[in-house]
Amino acid sequence: MKIVVADDDRQMLGALRIILTAHGYDVLVAADGRQALDAAIEGHPDLVVLDLGMPGLDGLAVIDAIRGWSTVPILVISGRTDSAEKVDALDRGADDYVTKPFATDELLARIRALVRRMPTADDEPRVAFADVIVDLATRRVTRADSPVRLTPTEWRILELLVRNPDRLITRETILTEVWGPHHTSDSGYLRLYLAQLRKKLEADPAHPRHLITEAGMGYRFVPQGE
Amino acid sequence: MKIVVADDDRQMLGALRIILTAHGYDVLVAADGRQALDAAIEGHPDLVVLDLGMPGLDGLAVIDAIRGWSTVPILVISGRTDSAEKVDALDRGADDYVTKPFATDELLARIRALVRRMPTADDEPRVAFADVIVDLATRRVTRADSPVRLTPTEWRILELLVRNPDRLITRETILTEVWGPHHTSDSGYLRLYLAQLRKKLEADPAHPRHLITEAGMGYRFVPQGE
DNA sequence: CGGCTCCGTTCGGATTCCGTAAGGAGACGG
DNA sequence: CCGTCTCCTTACGGAATCCGAACGGAGCCG
């Protein structure tokens, strides 16, 4: 769940970043309207938290710009309490409006309420190699148009590799990403799962062409094995 | 555009009715929680404006009851300004929370913002699989042309799955969507409801073809089980 | 060639997870 | 007050999954 937070007050911005990160959100910060707009475009967030009192590009203009191409929920934060600005912001496309100062737990509850309304974003890519299709949106893997059953651990490893094509993933990275930050020593089970994945996805498991071992370092997913 | 307005303060209720009617809404009034619930059930409104401080059936209980079978937007009005009640109301399924006293134009703007998010009841899809038809607009389920009785919780789980066909829904997602954001541990009751749904909808509950279990991960609704 | 490291593979037990049944707590209507 | 409905806890058998241990092979170096 990715959130863009825009506020020109550095202290407030930092506080929001810490709070939201602590509650499990991925946070992209922006210190002015221009950065907010860029972050909203580049980051594909699930929510935008926008302070209205920003220099440069005005907060209301940011709402207009975002609404020009996106329906992402926008939660406005503002120091102004007069209803005129609330009405203006809401009618331009904002979904909620909170006045400073605000209670942190209320902000979090309003964020949850907005995210709850969001249809699950399905801009997840579909990765294909050989006769295998990995659909990250539906969490489904098909090979030659027939479904492949993966265990949860197998899926997590495959997802990690597939999301980073052509990049080398160290064994340590896989262990911490899949088994948690405390697992750094491999007593052999990682190789087991890689073997399992190859058995299920590679044409010739003994000579893999897409799930490549980099000796001494880790593994690499190659979409188009020559 | 039909709105249910519930408030035990007759003066406030009348004022809201006049204001909303003047702005082109059809208004159904309710003077207590029981009437509010009845109106929300009978009237099929596009929005519910709910005062929390009502005698008899509590406002929070009304939210629970409505959310048991409907996703209609709920805007809460309350005299209490403490964040605890705001958080509670929002997490139970309210979409917005306005404290008294409030500016009329702000309330109207928030209503517009909520209605804007709502898909009209007409474009709600009707999902069909095997001999079962799930009508998301009327919230009815029929099997072989005869109606199927679902409990509120059963309906919510089915709706979540049916709205995301072919997609894997994690157990955690179901719990937070159906039971609220603070429920993350399943002590077994989720499996119960899935078994119940399968018993009511699957031809062979022991070998489901549409409500599929993905071991260790979650559940998946497959419209066309081959 | 011998020793070493690293990787792939097989096997099987321990653990977790799932489906099902039985039943209690609480709300509701009569 | 009592029957009904819904929700949820507990318990248990069976299946799926996880992972430790051990073995063999490939590559590297002296």
Side-chain angles (χ1 to χ4, degrees):
Chain A
M1 195 62 53
K2 198 186 296 180
I3 298 183
V4 165
V5 180
D7 200 321
D8 62 317
D9 179 350
R10 295 229 164 252
Q11 197 169 350
M12 174 73 78
L13 189 60
L16 286 174
R17 187 178 59 75
I18 291 170
I19 291 166
L20 292 174
T21 303
H23 282 80
Y25 299 102
D26 296 330
V27 177
L28 284 172
V29 295
D32 60 39
R34 170 59 54 192
Q35 288 182 23
L37 194 49
D38 290 343
I41 293 172
E42 301 291 332
H44 292 91
D46 301 286
L47 182 84
V48 175
V49 176
L50 193 64
D51 183 56
L52 277 196
M54 287 188 295
L57 193 57
D58 182 61
L60 294 174
V62 175
I63 296 175
D64 287 339
I66 292 176
R67 278 291 171 267
W69 54 269
S70 169
T71 61
V72 61
I74 299 176
L75 190 153
V76 165
I77 297 176
S78 172
R80 292 178 56 185
T81 59
D82 58 299
S83 67
E85 191 179 78
K86 294 185 186 178
V87 172
D88 198 9
L90 291 169
D91 279 344
R92 283 172 188 240
D95 293 282
D96 203 345
Y97 189 107
V98 176
T99 55
K100 287 191 266 195
F102 55 83
T104 302
D105 53 353
E106 178 188 344
L107 181 73
L108 289 168
R110 287 185 181 274
I111 287 173
R112 285 194 293 271
L114 286 177
V115 169
R116 188 173 54 216
R117 283 287 179 195
M118 269 289 289
T120 47
D122 50 357
D123 50 354
E124 296 276 27
R126 279 190 355 168
V127 183
F129 60 96
D131 58 348
V132 176
I133 298 173
V134 179
D135 192 327
L136 293 172
T138 65
R139 284 205 185 189
R140 196 180 246 177
V141 180
T142 61
R143 179 176 179 190
D145 294 329
S146 61
V148 178
R149 276 185 53 84
L150 294 185
T151 71
T153 307
E154 285 166 10
W155 169 261
R156 277 191 230 121
I157 295 172
L158 179 64
E159 183 181 20
L160 179 61
L161 290 171
V162 155
R163 280 190 192 277
N164 299 281
D166 291 320
R167 195 182 310 175
L168 181 129
I169 313 293
T170 66
R171 198 181 321 283
E172 195 178 41
T173 301
I174 300 179
L175 288 171
T176 58
E177 285 287 322
V178 174
W179 277 272
H182 306 300
H183 294 69
T184 49
S185 67
D186 168 29
S187 70
Y189 46 84
L190 215 184
R191 301 177 303 205
L192 209 135
Y193 283 103
L194 260 294
Q196 203 66 22
L197 280 174
R198 288 202 260 249
K199 201 176 295 178
K200 292 182 178 179
L201 302 179
E202 288 277 1
D204 181 4
H207 301 92
R209 297 196 309 177
H210 302 98
L211 301 172
I212 307 298
T213 299
E214 299 284 350
M217 319 238 275
Y219 293 91
R220 184 198 306 275
F221 166 66
V222 181
Q224 48 227 21
E226 43 68 70
Chain B
M1 193 61 55
K2 198 186 296 181
I3 298 183
V4 165
V5 180
D7 200 324
D8 62 317
D9 180 350
R10 297 232 164 249
Q11 197 169 352
M12 175 71 79
L13 189 61
L16 286 173
R17 187 177 58 77
I18 291 171
I19 291 166
L20 292 174
T21 304
H23 282 81
Y25 299 105
D26 296 332
V27 177
L28 283 173
V29 294
D32 58 40
R34 167 62 51 194
Q35 289 182 26
L37 193 49
D38 291 343
I41 293 171
E42 301 292 333
H44 290 89
D46 302 285
L47 182 82
V48 174
V49 176
L50 192 64
D51 182 56
L52 277 197
M54 286 188 296
L57 194 58
D58 182 60
L60 294 174
V62 175
I63 296 175
D64 287 339
I66 292 177
R67 279 288 171 269
W69 56 271
S70 169
T71 59
V72 61
I74 300 176
L75 189 154
V76 165
I77 297 176
S78 172
R80 292 177 56 184
T81 60
D82 59 298
S83 67
E85 191 177 78
K86 295 185 185 179
V87 171
D88 199 9
L90 291 169
D91 278 345
R92 283 171 188 243
D95 293 284
D96 204 346
Y97 190 108
V98 176
T99 55
K100 287 192 269 196
F102 53 85
T104 303
D105 53 352
E106 178 188 345
L107 182 72
L108 289 168
R110 287 186 181 273
I111 289 173
R112 285 192 295 273
L114 284 179
V115 170
R116 189 173 55 217
R117 280 280 170 198
M118 269 298 97
T120 57
D122 303 335
D123 54 16
E124 290 279 28
R126 271 195 349 175
V127 183
F129 60 97
D131 57 348
V132 176
I133 297 174
V134 179
D135 192 327
L136 292 171
T138 65
R139 303 181 184 285
R140 286 214 177 88
V141 180
T142 61
R143 179 176 179 190
D145 295 329
S146 61
V148 177
R149 273 184 53 84
L150 294 185
T151 72
T153 307
E154 285 166 10
W155 167 258
R156 289 219 267 167
I157 295 172
L158 180 64
E159 182 180 19
L160 177 63
L161 289 171
V162 157
R163 280 187 192 277
N164 299 282
D166 288 320
R167 184 170 307 186
L168 186 140
I169 313 293
T170 65
R171 197 181 324 283
E172 196 179 40
T173 301
I174 300 179
L175 288 171
T176 58
E177 286 286 324
V178 173
W179 278 273
H182 302 303
H183 292 70
T184 51
S185 66
D186 167 30
S187 70
Y189 46 88
L190 216 185
R191 302 179 303 210
L192 239 106
Y193 284 101
L194 260 294
Q196 202 66 22
L197 281 174
R198 287 202 260 246
K199 204 175 293 178
K200 292 182 178 179
L201 302 179
E202 288 275 2
D204 181 5
H207 303 91
R209 297 197 308 177
H210 301 98
L211 301 173
I212 306 297
T213 298
E214 300 280 352
M217 306 203 275
Y219 294 91
R220 184 200 306 276
F221 165 65
V222 181
Q224 55 233 24
E226 41 69 68

